[in-house]
Amino acid sequence: MAILETELWGYIRDAAIDAGLDPEVFGEPHTQIVRELVRHLNGSGADISAPIIVCGEPGTGKTTFLYVLDEVLRTRFNLPDQITGIMRKGDGRSYAVHKRVFHGREVSLLSVRKWRDLLHFYAWDVEQHRFNTLVLNRFIRETIAPMKVVFTDEVEMTGYAPTIPNLATRGLLVIGTSNQYQFQQLDVEQVSPLIIRFEGEDMRAGDPADAVVTSTHPAWGYFDQTGEQRERFLENLPYRLHTAKRFTFAHIDFGVAVQAPLLENEWVTFLKDSYKEASPYIPLQQSTPYVLLLDQFSLDLLQTDYNAIIRYVYLLDAVEQLGIGLLVRHQDARPELTRETIAAMKETVKNAQGVSIEIKSKTLAGVDRSTSRLGQAGFRAQNHFDV
């Protein structure tokens, strides 16, 4: 049965309202996405659909709109989500996938890095130490293809080949988001995307300054109390946990955190496991008053250390995915955490010598993303104290 565009829009508006969103902000770019989606779903399934990349500044609602589409397709039109928390291969090996949650329901959207890693997991033959294209094709055909639409975010200029082409050339419509606007890698691989732009200002609640704690803030004492707790370790990362009233806190030194060899998946695992360690009987949800405390925070540490910047970005990605709060402080000097100081840091990145354009672009995109997410995480933490 053909899907009607008007019917799909009705479900989209209902889902947005249920999630506390304002469907009145949906405009022509959103309509264009829905139109392409309907065309794909009503097609024969054999045609190759050009990937859709929704581009725009951080906080313009790109990923949120895909969450809404995901919810509608999986609940109203019965398109399956074939990705589970643990994916298993025929050889007995397994791969853990952190599922994001929107409005209380797990969604199918993964970052392009996670899609890349998942396809690599199925394609790589550990005995022969080579890619097995037949196994990859079977996985896509039997597991991914029934989903019909693949949602992804954090699509960058390079670094994900051939993830999107592998999916797009096998009858799947890939809809991704990006803070960038050019994707030469897809052009080279002859799967040039349809670019749809989301305009406007950052709609995420909060400003980076909302994350800053001063000596008069009620959380200042929690920094001290948590910092006095028993030191625990995740490999070489020291951290401390504390529960007080209805709060759960994890305390980390900022300088140590941005040197720890942790990427997004590892940060997600750390935050989930540390919360469970401190509050084993209370499930972690988006509204849980779980707050990460970054002590001795300083942007100066990030100015010229690209590894530190990337790890900081991954940490904020994990905070965003889990929907937890984050606060920062420096005991000796208030952190100058404003959009202006972050803009100045970006200038330092742009002017650095001996660094490739590709690395600079990835770093700057990550800084933009983390800035928006830091503001929202700070606002979320402040909300817990205001309730």
Side-chain angles (χ1 to χ4, degrees):
M1 181 182 296
I3 293 178
L4 299 177
E5 188 172 333
T6 53
E7 179 187 23
L8 178 55
W9 263 119
Y11 289 131
I12 289 171
R13 292 190 178 93
D14 289 344
I17 292 171
D18 287 345
L21 305 174
D22 180 9
E24 295 304 315
V25 302
F26 298 154
E28 177 54 33
H30 304 80
T31 300
Q32 189 176 0
I33 296 170
V34 171
R35 189 179 302 126
E36 292 296 324
L37 179 58
V38 169
R39 184 191 63 77
H40 172 79
L41 294 176
N42 288 338
S44 64
D47 298 333
I48 296 177
S49 295
I52 298 173
I53 309 295
V54 186
C55 304
E57 296 301 311
T60 49
K62 305 182 299 295
T63 302
T64 300
F65 188 62
L66 298 197
Y67 284 159
V68 172
L69 291 180
D70 186 295
E71 177 172 312
V72 168
L73 292 183
R74 311 303 174 199
T75 61
R76 297 293 187 175
F77 294 95
N78 298 319
L79 293 187
D81 177 2
Q82 302 278 74
I83 307 302
T84 59
I86 300 293
M87 301 293 291
R88 303 185 189 279
K89 285 181 65 170
D91 61 6
R93 292 192 304 133
S94 62
Y95 178 81
V97 180
H98 171 68
K99 300 283 288 182
R100 301 191 193 185
V101 175
F102 173 71
H103 196 219
R105 191 191 67 83
E106 288 186 345
V107 296
S108 68
L109 183 147
L110 302 175
S111 70
V112 75
R113 292 191 303 275
K114 290 187 177 180
W115 281 114
R116 178 196 62 196
D117 293 346
L118 183 61
L119 295 186
H120 183 276
F121 167 72
Y122 277 91
W124 185 252
D125 188 319
V126 294
E127 294 182 354
Q128 300 186 35
H129 302 286
R130 65 179 180 85
F131 284 101
N132 189 323
T133 305
L134 291 178
V135 173
L136 176 63
N137 287 341
R138 184 167 65 247
F139 170 67
I140 295 176
R141 181 178 66 253
E142 296 179 356
T143 303
I144 308 299
M147 297 173 65
K148 297 187 181 298
V149 182
V150 167
F151 295 109
T152 184
D153 67 359
E154 298 167 19
V155 179
E156 296 178 339
M157 290 168 55
T158 58
Y160 51 84
T163 305
I164 293 178
N166 270 335
L167 298 170
T169 57
R170 289 167 171 81
L172 288 148
L173 173 62
V174 179
I175 307 180
T177 71
S178 180
N179 300 340
Q180 301 172 336
Y181 297 86
Q182 295 181 329
F183 307 93
Q184 297 172 346
Q185 185 171 292
L186 291 177
D187 295 336
V188 168
E189 297 182 25
Q190 298 183 331
V191 285
S192 297
L194 170 63
I195 303 296
I196 296 178
R197 294 175 177 251
F198 277 23
E199 307 290 348
E201 298 180 354
D202 191 338
M203 292 191 295
R204 286 193 176 104
D207 184 271
D210 290 333
V212 177
V213 168
T214 62
S215 59
T216 59
H217 192 282
W220 185 275
Y222 289 126
F223 269 88
D224 291 337
Q225 294 171 26
T226 311
E228 293 170 355
Q229 303 302 310
R230 173 173 64 88
E231 192 170 52
R232 306 161 190 253
F233 289 89
L234 170 66
E235 297 180 355
N236 294 324
L237 175 68
Y239 65 98
R240 292 173 168 84
L241 300 175
H242 181 49
T243 56
K245 297 182 179 178
R246 59 191 188 87
F247 291 98
T248 299
F249 297 103
H251 179 282
I252 306 176
D253 181 272
F254 177 70
V256 174
V258 295
Q259 294 302 326
L262 303 177
L263 300 181
E264 180 186 352
N265 287 347
E266 291 83 4
W267 276 123
V268 167
T269 299
F270 163 72
L271 292 170
K272 291 174 68 176
D273 288 353
S274 61
Y275 175 78
K276 188 175 182 180
E277 190 177 1
S279 306
Y281 307 111
I282 306 173
L284 177 60
Q285 300 174 348
Q286 295 268 330
S287 58
T288 301
Y290 178 37
V291 181
L292 176 63
L293 306 176
L294 286 182
D295 216 346
Q296 298 301 103
F297 182 92
S298 171
L299 283 182
D300 291 341
L301 291 175
L302 304 180
Q303 291 283 3
T304 56
D305 188 336
Y306 283 85
N307 282 331
I309 292 174
I310 292 302
R311 287 165 180 162
Y312 167 72
V313 169
Y314 282 139
L315 172 57
L316 267 296
D317 286 347
V319 167
E320 164 86 359
Q321 284 195 40
L322 295 178
I324 69 173
L326 186 150
L327 296 172
V328 305
R329 79 164 182 180
H330 195 293
Q331 291 169 303
D332 301 323
R334 177 174 179 170
E336 289 297 323
L337 195 50
T338 64
R339 295 188 184 275
E340 290 72 26
T341 56
I342 294 171
M345 184 181 76
K346 289 173 61 178
E347 286 301 313
T348 302
V349 172
K350 290 177 184 177
N351 297 328
Q353 301 296 314
V355 181
S356 71
I357 295 296
E358 177 184 338
I359 293 177
K360 286 185 179 182
S361 297
K362 289 171 71 73
T363 303
L364 292 169
V367 170
D368 284 339
R369 189 170 74 241
S370 64
T371 300
S372 178
R373 292 177 173 179
L374 176 62
Q376 187 176 48
F379 179 83
R380 188 182 295 121
Q382 302 284 8
N383 245 13
H384 291 320
F385 285 96
D386 292 340
V387 172

